[in-house]
Amino acid sequence: MTDNSAQPQHCTEATLVDGHALVFPTLRVLQADGSLYEQAQLPQIDKASALKIYHSCVFTRVLDERMLAAQRQGRISFYMTCTGEEAAVLGAAAALDDADMIMAQYREHAALHYRGFTLEQFMNQMFSNINDLGKGRQMPIHYGSKALHYMTISSPLGTQIPQAAGYAYGQKMRGEDNVTICFFGEGAASEGDFHAGLNMAAVHQAPVIFFCRNNGYAISTPAEEQYAGDGIAPRGVGYGIKTIRVDGNDMLAVLAATQLARQVALEQQCPVLIEAMSYRLGAHSSSDDPSGYRSKEEEQKWREHDPVLRYKLWLQAQGWWSESDDEALYQQYKQEVLAAVKVAEVLPMPELSTLVTDVYDEVPKHLSEQLEQVKTQVQQYPEYYRATAGKEHL
Amino acid sequence: MAKMNLLQAINEALDIAMGNDDTVVVFGEDVGHFGGVFRATAKLQDKFGKDRCFNTPLTEQGIIGFANGMAAQGMRPVAEIQFADYIFPAFDQIVNETAKFRYRSGNEFDVGGLTIRTPYGGGIAGGHYHSQSPEAYFTQTPGLKVVVPRNPEQAKGLLLASIRDNNPVIFFEPKRLYRASVGEVPEGDYEIPLSAAEVVKTGSDITLLGWGAQMELIEAAAKRAENDGISCEIIDLRTLMPWDVDTVAQSVINTGRLLISHEAPLSGGFAGEIAATIQEQCFLYLEAPIARVCGLDTPYPLSLEKEHMANEHKIFEAIKTCVNF
């Protein structure tokens, strides 16, 4: 229960509290050279999990680079990168239990890889082929996996925020030993769903971690045109939610913050807000061109805060990783990704019948009839419907 | 006349509207310095300043609520919703507020200066969150005007008329045609009247009716039908609400047949409303049931887009069926 027992304070002089009055400190653990800040506490981490995190860092870098190139070559229609935000995503993912639900926005595929989504599964989704779990219905990067507790991405911004509150409330009612984490950007925190979701979670005490990746830009709009005041974190406090701000480019700080958030959310069955301060090094999406709204110098400055490099230096300082290990891992992933592209892009499209399945639990009569009409069309114009012609019987 | 694409025509309309009227203010997600994700508002901030062309936070309900407030005190806001698929967070502000402002206040207040611009439609491998045609939801809301242009010349004239109309207008822009549709556009200021359909081509056997991006598919199908000896009359409805019943009815009285084609799903689509009205007005003249060629009653798919769409081939086959009834 929220503690409402404190006596209200009064004053007799009209005084305004400034919107900028609440200034949040930023948790940081790891310095740019890979050493820890003085007095910084190391989160719970062992060699195996530390290397698992790093593997997902490298995988994500390689996947992003290769698939952006594939988009430029016209092999896939669209792509979005995680570049620059790997620590914000993986530091959080590594603090979770495998059965904690992840509700992502769209830029968090590193977490999905960490959970065990295979390279083939990534590719099948991006090429919307017959093996895509989502049956080829969504644009590339809209992944989802029930087995891995990763809710399928929906394009509209912020819609998952109130859903995460509800999902977590359900976990609480069922007495589950799990929480839900909900990722979103600082831009999505402007949507009405953000305010509705945080308020619902706070009032009904849902064990949900709201994780804001404050990456500086919402497409072309810089953070200062997105909100006034000291970022997203004070809003958590405003809604009565325990809140922490963390250096989003610091893998160990994100891990520490999320471990704490999970522990509190689970033990106290309440929401927690994390604001991770980071920077979107890449474009918003493959349809965007950041040279139209920000400078190369600004991007360069942030490259010096590269979260993957900083974390690698820490691994090396532990004696757990070497440059030759690094080179080998990059090479391995590059080869695997290229090979997987070649396999996925030649697989056939989903069957024609998938046009009308899953709209309802069972295909209603009017959709069966519409499918029959499409089949007739395909038979009449096989040249036009090349992807499905000859498969109308399916 | 100058050759330009649909985006350039829209940009020019906005430029003229802002230049002629200080109360015209343009805003939305990324529309400021960047000029919008499609660049429809490019250079307007440079020319008219940050007060009159600006980025908003990512909040569609905020954008339209804000626009309602501005319009209520006499400004002419032109608010952009980045994709028509994302108009739904603003649904309450549009349907319950924008549309009813004048009616509920006994004309004490109105938001007639408001224009909402939004790119709609598919055929761009956008999947179901970047392809929807949600016009029918708004045609069922009294108090709104709904306008859809088919090419650059139409877009410029209709947008200028929409901005200056004293009623709230939702202006759906066919994004598939943004760069694909290039044509001659008259220079300077001109308006194309709202609520007037255009007979694009006259014919005697069947009336083909559509709007927006669907028009070029209808025209392509008609060309094939003409080769088979079928004479098609083609009408662009242009304004869906309030719509030009008379022009459509007169045409159907002449041809005896009507085919309506839209991208949005069949059921509950605006074609149903048109069909009901026309059979009421033209019952004794009809020689075949009114045909509808529309999107399937499913979410817009990514990988089977061709199969889903109300395309040229489907329209062509439906013309033949209608004429041979």
Side-chain angles (χ1 to χ4, degrees):
Chain A
M1 288 296 289
T2 312
D3 182 13
N4 288 326
S5 61
Q7 287 298 308
Q9 294 190 350
H10 299 284
C11 61
T12 51
E13 193 184 336
T15 314
L16 299 173
V17 177
D18 194 272
H20 293 73
L22 187 55
V23 178
F24 258 78
T26 302
L27 175 71
R28 51 186 203 179
V29 174
L30 197 53
Q31 305 196 73
D33 65 1
S35 65
L36 301 196
Y37 283 100
E38 213 173 309
Q39 294 182 320
Q41 303 273 324
L42 200 62
Q44 289 170 27
I45 187 165
D46 56 28
K47 183 180 174 184
S49 57
L51 290 177
K52 186 181 173 194
I53 292 170
Y54 190 69
H55 273 67
S56 287
C57 282
V58 175
F59 173 83
T60 307
R61 278 277 154 103
V62 170
L63 187 76
D64 282 355
E65 191 198 322
R66 294 284 144 168
M67 297 321 291
L68 200 57
Q71 192 278 335
R72 299 282 182 243
Q73 294 161 354
R75 296 163 92 163
I76 56 171
S77 58
F78 179 81
Y79 196 73
M80 286 179 127
T81 71
C82 179
T83 310
E85 298 174 71
E86 293 89 347
V89 174
L90 283 166
L96 302 174
D97 182 84
D98 278 350
D100 290 343
M101 175 54 77
I102 294 177
M103 292 201 182
Q105 182 168 303
Y106 46 55
R107 209 182 285 289
E108 295 89 355
H109 41 281
L112 189 55
H113 180 261
Y114 186 86
R115 281 274 169 98
F117 207 59
T118 66
L119 177 56
E120 289 70 29
Q121 288 175 314
F122 278 104
M123 288 301 159
N124 293 336
Q125 197 285 327
M126 280 185 277
F127 285 95
S128 39
N129 65 33
I130 195 162
N131 293 333
D132 169 23
L133 288 177
K135 299 177 191 166
R137 288 169 178 150
Q138 294 214 75
M139 289 164 73
I141 68 104
H142 288 62
Y143 313 110
S145 166
K146 189 165 191 173
L148 297 177
H149 304 279
Y150 194 97
M151 186 74 77
T152 301
I153 307 293
S154 172
S155 305
L157 269 189
T159 51
Q160 76 280 17
I161 301 172
Q163 293 169 13
Y167 199 93
Y169 189 76
Q171 290 172 317
K172 180 180 184 170
M173 285 188 76
R174 290 164 173 269
E176 288 176 13
D177 220 13
N178 285 105
V179 303
T180 296
I181 190 165
C182 179
F183 288 98
F184 52 91
E186 87 285 354
S190 300
E191 293 284 5
D193 277 341
F194 167 84
H195 303 280
L198 262 67
N199 201 29
M200 287 290 283
V203 168
H204 297 287
Q205 291 291 284
V208 53
I209 301 170
F210 295 113
F211 194 103
C212 177
R213 295 179 289 95
N214 189 333
N215 69 8
Y217 283 92
I219 307 190
S220 79
T221 301
E224 67 263 24
E225 290 178 41
Q226 196 65 234
Y227 55 78
D230 185 46
I232 304 305
R235 297 186 191 169
V237 178
Y239 281 113
I241 293 176
K242 292 181 176 67
T243 300
I244 184 170
R245 174 177 285 160
V246 61
D247 178 349
N249 285 14
D250 176 341
M251 186 71 77
L252 298 179
V254 176
L255 185 62
T258 315
Q259 283 174 348
L260 175 65
R262 184 176 192 277
Q263 185 191 344
V264 168
L266 204 56
E267 286 177 4
Q268 301 179 28
Q269 291 290 294
C270 68
V272 178
L273 172 66
I274 300 173
E275 183 182 23
M277 308 307 287
S278 186
Y279 188 82
R280 192 193 76 208
L281 273 178
H284 164 71
S285 77
S286 53
S287 308
D288 174 36
D289 174 15
S291 71
Y293 54 85
R294 70 186 190 194
S295 68
K296 282 271 169 239
E297 293 72 40
E298 180 187 304
E299 287 178 40
Q300 191 50 44
K301 194 193 86 183
W302 277 93
R303 284 193 191 279
E304 290 160 18
H305 297 277
D306 186 338
V308 175
L309 175 64
R310 198 190 309 183
Y311 182 59
K312 184 180 83 171
L313 292 173
W314 178 74
L315 289 177
Q316 289 176 337
Q318 312 311 301
W320 293 346
W321 198 245
S322 70
E323 280 304 321
S324 62
D325 290 337
D326 210 50
E327 229 163 83
L329 188 62
Y330 271 96
Q331 278 312 318
Q332 180 201 324
Y333 280 142
K334 279 178 188 174
Q335 284 164 11
E336 287 177 6
V337 169
L338 278 178
V341 166
K342 285 179 184 152
V343 174
E345 71 180 346
V346 295
L347 284 172
M349 270 192 188
E351 293 168 4
L352 190 59
S353 62
T354 62
L355 258 180
V356 298
T357 54
D358 306 323
V359 182
Y360 301 95
D361 59 343
E362 289 171 5
V363 178
K365 185 162 167 268
H366 74 287
L367 290 185
S368 309
E369 288 167 0
Q370 291 182 7
L371 179 63
E372 289 308 311
Q373 290 168 6
V374 173
K375 286 180 182 174
T376 304
Q377 262 278 311
V378 171
Q379 283 158 7
Q380 284 174 315
Y381 296 95
E383 281 299 302
Y384 183 74
Y385 299 104
R386 281 189 185 169
T388 40
K391 294 187 284 185
E392 305 91 291
H393 60 284
L394 292 170
Chain B
M1 300 282 253
K3 243 194 164 82
M4 63 178 72
N5 67 29
L6 207 147
L7 275 172
Q8 291 165 325
I10 285 163
N11 185 263
E12 198 166 285
L14 292 170
D15 193 341
I16 290 169
M18 292 177 89
N20 288 356
D21 182 350
D22 288 345
T23 67
V24 176
V25 177
V26 172
F27 53 89
E29 293 158 10
D30 295 292
V31 310
H33 173 65
F34 194 46
V37 290
F38 294 104
R39 306 297 191 275
T41 56
K43 305 250 190 300
L44 297 177
Q45 189 177 73
D46 296 343
K47 195 163 171 184
F48 298 104
K50 274 191 167 176
D51 290 343
R52 293 187 59 205
C53 177
F54 53 86
N55 288 336
T56 64
L58 303 189
T59 167
E60 290 78 15
Q61 61 273 66
I63 293 167
I64 302 302
F66 190 87
N68 277 336
M70 282 182 78
Q73 44 93 40
M75 302 290 280
R76 290 200 177 270
V78 182
E80 178 179 301
I81 299 294
Q82 200 160 69
F83 288 90
D85 310 74
Y86 300 143
I87 206 165
F88 298 110
F91 205 63
D92 182 49
Q93 280 290 338
I94 298 172
V95 168
N96 280 327
E97 304 302 317
T98 307
K100 298 170 177 72
F101 231 96
R102 193 193 304 272
Y103 181 80
R104 70 158 179 251
S105 71
N107 205 23
E108 289 289 305
F109 298 96
D110 71 80
V111 294
L114 171 60
T115 302
I116 301 168
R117 291 181 41 247
T118 188
Y120 85 96
I124 53 145
H128 42 257
Y129 295 118
H130 295 83
S131 301
Q132 293 174 81
S133 300
E135 68 272 9
Y137 294 104
F138 301 101
T139 58
Q140 220 211 356
T141 302
L144 303 173
K145 291 192 176 182
V146 178
V147 177
V148 194
R150 73 172 185 277
N151 64 27
E153 175 239 349
Q154 294 282 311
K156 183 177 168 187
L158 287 168
L159 181 55
L160 278 165
S162 297
I163 292 170
R164 291 161 181 168
D165 192 89
N166 288 322
N167 295 282
V169 176
I170 308 185
F171 192 83
F172 287 104
E173 299 169 3
K175 64 176 167 291
R176 181 163 63 79
L177 304 185
Y178 264 158
R179 293 191 173 84
S181 176
V182 178
E184 296 287 343
V185 175
E187 313 228 358
D189 199 342
Y190 67 95
E191 291 180 26
I192 293 173
L194 304 188
S195 292
E198 185 188 14
V199 179
V200 177
K201 183 190 154 309
T202 55
S204 54
D205 294 330
I206 184 169
T207 301
L208 308 179
L209 178 67
W211 49 86
Q214 205 61 16
M215 290 310 297
E216 67 168 15
L217 305 179
I218 290 173
E219 290 181 81
K223 206 165 271 175
R224 283 165 60 183
E226 302 269 341
N227 289 339
D228 288 3
I230 301 169
S231 168
C232 301
E233 180 145 305
I234 301 175
I235 300 180
D236 176 6
L237 196 57
R238 301 199 291 201
T239 301
L240 275 64
M241 187 54 68
W243 64 287
D244 183 355
V245 178
D246 292 349
T247 298
V248 180
Q250 191 53 56
S251 172
V252 175
I253 286 169
N254 293 340
T255 64
R257 297 178 186 87
L258 175 63
L259 181 154
I260 311 153
S261 180
H262 61 58
E263 263 193 56
L266 175 83
S267 296
F270 196 59
E273 176 59 34
I274 296 169
T277 305
I278 294 301
Q279 72 86 21
E280 205 172 72
Q281 301 237 339
C282 309
F283 186 69
L284 295 176
Y285 297 88
L286 285 171
E287 292 177 31
I290 296 170
R292 290 180 291 165
V293 183
C294 304
L296 299 187
D297 287 337
T298 70
Y300 209 105
L302 180 81
S303 60
L304 296 168
E305 189 172 42
K306 274 187 167 178
E307 288 75 3
H308 173 95
M309 277 188 79
N311 59 38
E312 177 192 329
H313 304 296
K314 292 182 185 176
I315 299 167
F316 176 59
E317 290 300 322
I319 292 171
K320 289 195 293 188
T321 304
C322 204
V323 171
N324 297 324
F325 180 75

